[in-house]
């Protein structure tokens, strides 16, 4: 596995691969890798000749400086996991390499970002769109792989690709879960034992809410029941629970026949913010 640290190095590597007719899969990450990331790499490996993973804790997408400071960073362990999973190149740039100068461009994804993560984390999707655009320009992948745990991020990135005519395909892969249902996340490493023990409730609440949606229980009641269930665990502070259209992400007041619903939540557990979602088709 080639280790690349400069933008020019990444460009040269992927341009050479392209000129040899290789298909390039890009797996953008912020590191502290888990089985969910490795499944993205494996999926890319199955579909592309070159798999470029990126590990970059992107400062511009953090609205909370403490969250950025505490975000887990384990570069050596990440590199050791990537090669056996099928990664052929790892891009680990410095902040100065990605942001040689402050960016001034601002993205506005309209209604897609006025809800959930976008509403609760000011500037978050601007930072995501900025760094993802840079990575797409530098690596020019044929496909880029993202996890569905970040459902809204996938929708935003798809919009970005459509609006800016990036010549690539976005592949979204299902959330990978621990045996007790907790969605894998780099932030799970920061959970203390008590918070970790409470954390599976997030998924349990979503599963119960999904059953209610299938039974036709009104969205407002589904939201309220989920908030009540989360509120019964003193270690969990819910930030939002949403019953939304899976494509537009807009909160639902009633169900529209034939349209998928996504149930999303964000909650704080002992100072760690986690998100999760479940799709009801
Ligand atoms: O999902 C993430 O880890 C990040 O938001 C991403 C896509 C790597 C951009 O920094």
């Amino acid at each position: 596995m080639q280790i690349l640290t400069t933008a020019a190095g990444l460009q040269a590597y992927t341009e050479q691969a392209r000129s040899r007719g290789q298909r390039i899969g890009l797996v953008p990450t912020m590191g502290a890798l888990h089985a969910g990331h490795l499944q993205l790499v494996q999926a890319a490996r199955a579909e592309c000749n070159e798999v470029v993973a990126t590990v970059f804790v992107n400062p511009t997408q953090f609205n909370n400086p403490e969250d950025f400071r505490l975000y887990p960073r384990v570069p050596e362990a990440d590199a050791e996991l990537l090669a056996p999973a099928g990664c052929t190149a790892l891009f680990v740039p410095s902040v100065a390499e990605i942001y040689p100068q402050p960016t001034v461009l601002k993205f506005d994804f309209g209604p897609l970002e006025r809800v959930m993560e976008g509403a609760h984390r000011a500037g978050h999707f601007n930072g995501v769109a900025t760094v993802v655009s840079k990575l797409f320009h530098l690596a020019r992948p044929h496909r880029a792989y993202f996890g569905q745990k970040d459902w809204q991020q996938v929708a935003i990135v798809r919009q970005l690709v459509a609006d800016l005519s990036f010549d690539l395909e976005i592949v979204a892969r299902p959330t990978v879960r621990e045996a007790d249902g907790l969605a894998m996340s780099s932030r799970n490493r920061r959970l203390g034992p008590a918070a970790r023990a409470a954390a599976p409730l997030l998924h349990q609440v979503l599963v119960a809410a999904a059953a209610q949606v299938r039974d036709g229980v009104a969205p407002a009641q589904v939201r309220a029941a989920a908030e009540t269930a989360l509120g019964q665990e003193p270690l969990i502070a819910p930030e939002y629970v949403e019953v939304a259209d899976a494509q537009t992400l807009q909160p639902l007041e009633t169900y529209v026949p034939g349209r998928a619903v996504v149930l999303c939540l964000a909650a704080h557990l002992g100072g760690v913010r986690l998100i999760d979602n479940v799709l009801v088709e």
Side-chain angles (χ1 to χ4, degrees), residues 81-96:
L81 289 171
L82 284 168
C87 182
T88 51
L90 166 60
F91 181 51
V92 269
S94 64
V95 171

Side-chain angles (χ1 to χ4, degrees), residues 67-242:
D67 189 26
F68 176 63
R69 193 177 68 78
L70 294 175
Y71 199 85
R73 291 163 172 89
V74 287
E76 287 86 17
D78 288 343
E80 274 171 28
L81 289 171
L82 284 168
C87 182
T88 51
L90 166 60
F91 181 51
V92 269
S94 64
V95 171
E97 191 65 28
I98 295 293
Y99 296 109
Q101 60 196 42
T103 55
V104 292
L105 179 66
K106 293 280 177 265
F107 292 86
D108 183 345
F109 293 95
L112 266 190
E113 70 161 281
R114 309 257 188 274
V115 294
M116 300 192 285
E117 292 302 282
H120 286 82
R121 301 183 68 191
H124 171 64
F125 286 122
N126 189 63
V128 170
T130 302
V131 77
V132 165
S133 300
K134 283 173 178 267
L135 294 173
F136 287 171
H137 280 301
L138 293 172
R140 296 183 59 228
H142 296 85
R143 290 186 174 180
Y145 294 78
F146 294 85
Q148 286 179 340
K149 183 175 74 68
D150 296 291
W151 187 271
Q152 191 174 10
Q153 172 170 277
V154 172
I156 295 272
V157 171
R158 285 192 195 283
Q159 190 72 53
L160 176 77
V161 166
D163 281 8
L164 295 183
S165 304
F166 280 108
D167 183 17
L168 57 87
E169 190 185 332
I170 297 299
V171 182
R173 302 281 306 170
T175 303
V176 178
R177 298 183 181 279
E178 302 287 357
D180 59 13
L182 175 65
M184 289 201 185
S185 163
S186 303
R187 288 187 169 87
N188 290 354
R189 291 170 187 251
R190 294 189 44 225
L191 294 171
R196 176 63 188 83
L201 185 63
L202 302 183
H203 183 237
Q204 288 159 15
V205 163
L206 288 172
V207 170
Q212 289 185 313
V213 172
R214 285 191 199 96
D215 287 346
V217 176
Q221 270 175 271
V222 175
R223 267 184 220 110
E227 280 163 9
T228 303
L230 289 173
Q232 274 159 15
E233 170 51 70
L235 290 177
I236 297 182
E239 193 169 299
Y240 64 79
V241 177
E242 202 48 271

